[in-house]
């Protein structure tokens, strides 16, 4: 019987021993709950996030101030055809290039043979897209309708 008492006494002691382990596990669970407070599930901004966003906006504004404005330009190569071979193409080229306009820069020109001694005037020009349109160029060239039969755009390249 004394051995049974010892076993009964040992059982409560053994049962009591795991109890402190449970108490130790509880404090470990509390920091995990504190970690959950750091996780923002609803997307609320913190002061650090607001400050970082303001700093980024300020840097972007400075870059925008120093950024150079790009002007859209186009290089155009045109063929200007005349009614017949009696028209002086060089004089016609001078008349056409005498038309000045903001955003229009006349470039080089050359005479290109078409057929049977007839030539066409090939004209290079550069325009600022916001200031000069293709209709404006057509108006400038076709105002000499007694000499100019037609005009064609051979190449239009963005610069």
């Amino acid at each position: 019987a004394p051995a049974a008492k010892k076993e009964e006494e040992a059982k409560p002691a053994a049962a009591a021993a795991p109890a402190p382990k449970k108490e130790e596990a509880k404090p470990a669970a509390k920091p995990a709950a504190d970690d959950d407070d750091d996780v923002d599930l609803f997307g609320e901004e913190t002061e650090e996030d607001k400050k970082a966003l303001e700093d980024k906006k300020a840097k972007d504004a400075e870059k925008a101030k120093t950024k150079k404005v790009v002007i859209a330009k186009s290089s155009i190569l045109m063929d200007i055809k005349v009614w017949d071979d009696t028209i002086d193409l060089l004089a016609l080229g001078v008349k056409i290039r005498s038309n000045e306009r903001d955003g229009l820069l006349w470039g080089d020109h050359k005479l290109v043979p078409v057929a049977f001694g007839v030539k066409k005037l090939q004209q290079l020009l550069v325009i600022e897209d916001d200031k000069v349109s293709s209709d404006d160029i057509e108006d400038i060239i076709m105002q000499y309708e007694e000499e100019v039969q037609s005009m064609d755009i051979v190449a239009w390249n963005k610069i």
Side-chain angles (χ1 to χ4, degrees), residues 8 10 13 16 46 74 76 90 97 103 117 135:
E8 288 176 14
T46 63
S74 297
I76 303 171
L90 295 177
R97 286 190 304 281
D135 291 337

Side-chain angles (χ1 to χ4, degrees), residues 4 7 12 17 30 35 46-47 79 87 91 104 117 139 146 151 155:
E7 285 178 21
K30 285 183 183 178
D35 288 343
T46 63
E47 292 297 321
D79 281 345
I87 297 171
L104 172 63
D139 291 343
E146 295 172 2
M151 58 163 267

Side-chain angles (χ1 to χ4, degrees), residues 1-15:
K5 285 184 182 178
K6 286 183 183 178
E7 285 178 21
E8 288 176 14
E9 289 176 15
K11 285 182 184 178

